[in-house]
Amino acid sequence: MAVYPEDTAAVAVVLYENCEVKYDVSDGDFIVRTSHTARIKILKSAGLNRADISIPFYTGNSRAQSEKISGISGYAYNLVNGKTERTKLAKEHIFEEKSTENWRRMKIAIPNVKVGSVFEMKYEKASPYYSILDDFAFQSSIPVKYCCYQVTIPEYFKFRKRTSGYEPLDYWEKEINLRFLFGSGKSLTCNGKEMTFVAVNLPAMKGDSYVWNKNDYISRVTFDLMNVNVPGVYYKDFSVSWQEIDKRLMEDENFGKQLRVSNLMKDELAAVLKDDMTAEGKVVAVLDLVKAKMQWNEDDALYVDNLKKAVKEGKGSSAEMNAALICLLRDAGFDAYPVVMSLRSHGRIFSTFPTLKSLNYFITGVNINGKPIYMDASHKYGTVNVIPDDCMVEEARCIFKERPGQWVDLHELGRNSYMTSIIASFNEDGKLAGNVQKIMNGVPCMTYCRKVDKQKSIDETREEMENDLNVAISDLEQGKPQDVAVMEKFSFVNNETTTDDEYIYINSLIFPYVTDNPFKAETRKLPIEYSYPYDHVTSITLIIPEGYTIEEIPTPERITLGDKQITYLYQVQKAEKNVQIIQRISIRQTLYPVTDYQHVRDFWAHVVNKNNAQLVLKRL
């Protein structure tokens, strides 16, 4: 097979995948043993990296607390002169590497894999953490011909299962007899449940435009332990509510107890707080203090390693920086609290499926005059209610000191805007020239400041802008990165548009916002998810050159989608010596189901038409 018929663009295809999960006994206690087999066909050179395999596993403080990878084997199969040639995976292609303090990866490179190869890979994982069953995903970024996931669970373990995703799974279960040997001739016989999930002809899960995380929609199965019950011998309840998760976190040495530290920066805090400040002004001053005294080490974390050490060294994870902010705000008399979540990049939380393992991050919340505001101390250019879009999730949980936790929606937080003003005319050389001023607020401001921070030089940025806009740029001014709103200014000359011709054709917006519809496909499987709500406003003033008049001008237009979820305004005001055009795009709602796709697609088709519209001037 040179091309996979169901997806001719596929770089590789999973021909067969089988994963079996069973309970076993080791050192007198239960373990979970996972056996995994996969066979993959490489179709294009871009798929060769599939033969580089990484298997994460946990290492605790002892062998009994550590997972173990064993039984690794693999082969590459190639057609050579009409015959199958098999290359075996050797030990020199297998090695371990340390990821974090308690996590390692088994790295495996299948040899002699090329375009046209089929390779096979097998391994086993033994885990002492029998209360945890790993999630299993049936889909990936390449298509899957056949996939089977089978789980056998003794009657003593009661799990709650959840399946998700758009692609169907065949499922059946049956009761079976199980027998476990505990050593010294002792054995245990019990009933068990064998659950089998099979998927066939799954399409590749490709990242679509305007989707936060495609993995939210992958077909998968998840298990969460509710209780262990050996009648007359042992019972433990593992089922949890979100209230219990709140309690666990606040009692944890590396979470709640780290938020009780006081006097972290006693003198510095006293110096930045002034009596004449408003409450919000004091909060901003404390936030700025943390960002001035500490630097983010680019580690996203839920748990705090060592808060005092991080403050002393002036560097820490997101958890340590937000923990410092919470502690300082409490020292300043504010009711500050952690807001825990799963980042967009990690996947959504299901609030109806309480589990601690779904959480991986927290930011800071504080109430001012009865209204909550949110901050992320780890991001240099964030401020009050301006947090990274990765944190702007639908469901985040506020954990308070003396009252029950509650869910909050952050996905439409804050006011975000781009405002562009252009004044253009024809210079003495007859070329279109003008001045541009841009003002960005909210997340766009934070994004712009990060970009400025990383640029090599302003001259290099100017050259990139010239290439993108196809004009000559001068007098480029960039706003200060610490500003809540940031401004950019520059002057331009367009060498292609001149007064040499009888007709002058000018894009009515000079620098159009969007020239292609972002939603090209006729149909769509996934919902539309904008990063955040925003306003994008462009104001154009074009001075008509002497000896010319307006021959053709686009017509005004106003479009509203739903209950003002998305609005578009295109206004034209014509005077004797100039023309003014205003375009405004407002995105108020950020999430749209697939049923709204055609409406959203049609909306952007109108916007694209206006952004490509020409203003025509004619010589008198």
Side-chain angles (χ1 to χ4, degrees):
M1 180 173 62
V3 173
Y4 185 54
E6 284 80 0
D7 183 356
T8 57
V11 299
V13 56
V14 177
L15 301 175
Y16 172 88
E17 184 172 16
N18 187 69
C19 184
E20 296 181 12
V21 179
K22 296 182 178 180
Y23 277 75
D24 201 350
V25 171
S26 178
D27 297 329
D29 205 352
F30 282 109
I31 64 170
V32 175
R33 196 177 298 280
T34 301
S35 301
H36 195 275
T37 302
R39 299 188 190 103
I40 296 177
K41 170 81 176 186
I42 305 298
L43 299 168
K44 299 179 182 180
S45 59
L48 290 171
N49 60 2
R50 288 279 164 174
D52 296 324
I53 298 156
S54 179
I55 307 168
F57 61 100
Y58 184 81
T59 56
N61 296 325
S62 66
R63 187 177 68 87
Q65 296 175 320
S66 300
E67 296 179 331
K68 181 182 178 182
I69 305 297
S70 63
I72 298 173
S73 66
Y75 294 92
Y77 301 91
N78 291 287
L79 270 180
V80 180
N81 298 323
K83 294 183 179 181
T84 302
E85 178 181 272
R86 187 174 74 164
T87 305
K88 186 178 180 179
L89 173 66
K91 289 183 178 180
E92 58 262 29
H93 296 116
I94 305 171
F95 63 95
E96 287 185 24
E97 72 174 18
K98 187 175 181 179
S99 302
T100 65
E101 187 65 32
N102 293 111
W103 282 93
R104 291 182 175 271
R105 290 183 179 273
M106 192 68 73
K107 305 282 285 189
I108 301 160
I110 307 294
N112 200 27
V113 174
K114 58 192 75 174
V115 174
S117 299
V118 171
F119 73 85
E120 179 180 63
M121 168 69 193
K122 298 180 181 180
Y123 71 90
E124 285 192 357
K125 184 175 82 168
S127 174
Y129 301 100
Y130 54 78
S131 63
I132 299 173
L133 297 182
D134 294 334
D135 294 1
F136 184 81
F138 294 83
Q139 279 180 287
S140 73
S141 58
I142 60 173
V144 177
K145 187 70 176 170
Y146 174 89
C147 183
C148 177
Y149 177 61
Q150 188 177 84
V151 186
T152 303
I153 301 176
E155 61 181 300
Y156 309 123
F157 298 87
K158 303 298 181 185
F159 280 90
R160 175 176 52 183
K161 77 174 187 298
R162 176 175 60 85
T163 57
S164 57
Y166 286 2
E167 300 300 327
L169 304 175
D170 291 328
Y171 170 73
W172 62 90
E173 61 180 55
K174 64 178 181 180
E175 299 290 332
I176 61 173
N177 296 320
L178 298 173
R179 185 167 180 262
F180 300 98
L181 298 176
F182 282 87
S184 303
K186 294 182 179 179
S187 65
L188 175 67
T189 302
C190 64
N191 294 325
K193 182 181 289 185
E194 182 185 272
M195 292 172 279
T196 303
F197 303 81
V198 172
V200 295
N201 297 326
L202 293 176
M205 177 54 81
K206 299 175 182 177
D208 213 338
S209 59
Y210 298 95
V211 171
W212 293 350
N213 188 338
K214 67 179 182 180
N215 291 329
D216 285 335
Y217 306 103
I218 282 179
S219 292
R220 70 172 70 239
V221 61
T222 301
F223 286 91
D224 197 41
L225 184 64
M226 298 179 68
N227 63 67
V228 179
N229 183 13
V230 183
V233 178
Y234 176 82
Y235 177 81
K236 185 172 182 180
D237 188 4
F238 286 86
S239 63
V240 295
S241 64
W242 285 110
Q243 288 77 18
E244 290 169 352
I245 290 174
D246 296 345
K247 184 179 178 182
R248 285 188 196 177
L249 283 171
M250 296 310 287
E251 292 175 352
D252 194 289
E253 287 285 346
N254 296 104
F255 191 86
K257 291 188 178 180
Q258 297 283 337
L259 305 180
R260 301 171 197 167
V261 179
S262 59
N263 297 325
L264 276 173
M265 304 179 195
K266 184 177 180 180
D267 295 336
E268 294 93 332
L269 183 63
V272 300
L273 297 179
K274 308 298 182 184
D275 292 338
D276 59 350
M277 284 181 170
T278 63
E280 184 170 325
K282 291 181 179 180
V283 169
V284 172
V286 176
L287 174 62
D288 290 343
L289 173 62
V290 172
K291 291 192 289 186
K293 293 294 182 180
M294 296 181 69
Q295 181 182 357
W296 180 42
N297 64 11
E298 301 195 5
D299 179 22
D300 292 334
L302 175 67
Y303 293 100
V304 179
D305 184 22
N306 189 321
L307 179 57
K308 289 184 177 179
K309 180 182 176 183
V311 171
K312 183 178 180 181
E313 294 179 351
K315 194 170 188 177
S317 68
S318 64
E320 286 155 346
M321 292 194 68
N322 279 293
L325 176 59
I326 290 172
C327 291
L328 289 178
L329 285 170
R330 288 177 175 178
D331 285 347
F334 290 97
D335 178 22
Y337 47 86
V339 184
V340 297
M341 65 183 66
S342 173
L343 295 171
R344 287 182 183 179
S345 55
H346 284 261
R348 278 179 165 85
I349 284 178
F350 290 87
S351 58
T352 56
F353 200 78
T355 172
L356 183 56
K357 68 181 182 181
S358 67
L359 303 173
N360 50 59
Y361 199 85
F362 76 92
I363 61 173
T364 300
V366 62
N367 292 334
I368 298 179
N369 300 324
K371 292 184 178 180
I373 60 175
Y374 306 98
M375 299 158 286
D376 185 352
S378 65
H379 282 263
K380 185 176 178 181
Y381 301 116
T383 186
V384 170
N385 287 339
V386 179
I387 60 177
D389 55 5
D390 203 16
C391 299
M392 296 176 69
V393 296
E394 295 168 282
E395 293 183 296
R397 187 163 181 83
C398 302
I399 306 180
F400 305 111
K401 284 195 295 185
E402 297 177 354
R403 60 186 191 275
Q406 69 180 48
W407 292 100
V408 292
D409 186 347
L410 303 177
H411 83 283
E412 294 181 352
L413 181 69
R415 297 177 63 86
N416 311 292
S417 64
Y418 310 76
M419 303 186 71
T420 302
S421 175
I422 303 174
I423 299 176
S425 62
F426 287 84
N427 63 19
E428 58 186 15
D429 295 326
K431 296 176 180 179
L432 182 65
N435 299 308
V436 179
Q437 176 178 286
K438 296 183 178 182
I439 300 175
M440 290 151 276
N441 288 276
V443 179
C445 171
M446 182 168 58
T447 303
Y448 177 83
C449 290
R450 283 201 300 253
K451 181 181 176 182
V452 170
D453 225 11
K454 292 178 180 179
Q455 72 182 9
K456 294 180 180 178
S457 69
I458 192 170
D459 288 335
E460 186 174 296
T461 299
R462 178 181 51 76
E463 290 174 7
E464 290 177 1
M465 292 172 62
E466 287 180 333
N467 291 331
D468 290 341
L469 302 175
N470 195 28
V471 295
I473 288 177
S474 60
D475 303 324
L476 176 60
E477 295 180 26
Q478 296 176 317
K480 296 179 182 179
Q482 67 266 27
D483 292 344
V484 174
V486 67
M487 181 184 294
E488 178 182 81
K489 297 180 180 179
F490 62 89
S491 300
F492 73 91
V493 176
N494 187 329
N495 292 318
E496 294 183 355
T497 306
T498 70
T499 55
D500 293 339
D501 301 318
E502 182 178 355
Y503 290 93
I504 302 175
Y505 299 90
I506 307 170
N507 184 293
S508 64
L509 296 170
I510 312 289
F511 303 120
Y513 172 54
V514 55
T515 56
D516 289 304
N517 194 332
F519 304 104
K520 294 183 173 63
E522 293 289 335
T523 60
R524 182 180 171 108
K525 276 192 173 183
L526 303 183
I528 297 168
E529 300 169 331
Y530 288 98
S531 295
Y532 44 80
Y534 67 85
D535 288 305
H536 193 288
V537 181
T538 305
S539 173
I540 310 289
T541 299
L542 176 65
I543 299 171
I544 301 169
E546 290 291 335
Y548 280 84
T549 186
I550 298 175
E551 173 75 4
E552 186 178 322
I553 193 168
T555 57
E557 189 166 7
R558 183 189 295 268
I559 305 171
T560 301
L561 182 63
D563 185 20
K564 296 184 179 179
Q565 300 163 352
I566 305 181
T567 60
Y568 178 69
L569 176 67
Y570 183 93
Q571 291 180 320
V572 180
Q573 186 171 347
K574 179 180 173 183
E576 183 179 351
K577 294 188 176 181
N578 65 62
V579 58
Q580 291 183 319
I581 296 174
I582 295 177
Q583 172 178 267
R584 184 186 187 106
I585 301 169
S586 295
I587 306 292
R588 291 286 173 264
Q589 178 178 312
T590 57
L591 305 179
Y592 296 85
V594 174
T595 50
D596 284 346
Y597 174 64
Q598 199 57 54
H599 300 298
V600 176
R601 183 172 181 249
D602 291 344
F603 171 88
W604 283 104
H606 281 283
V607 175
V608 168
N609 284 338
K610 282 299 181 187
N611 274 252
N612 288 323
Q614 296 279 316
L615 178 67
V616 183
L617 305 179
K618 182 181 179 182
R619 192 188 298 274
L620 294 172

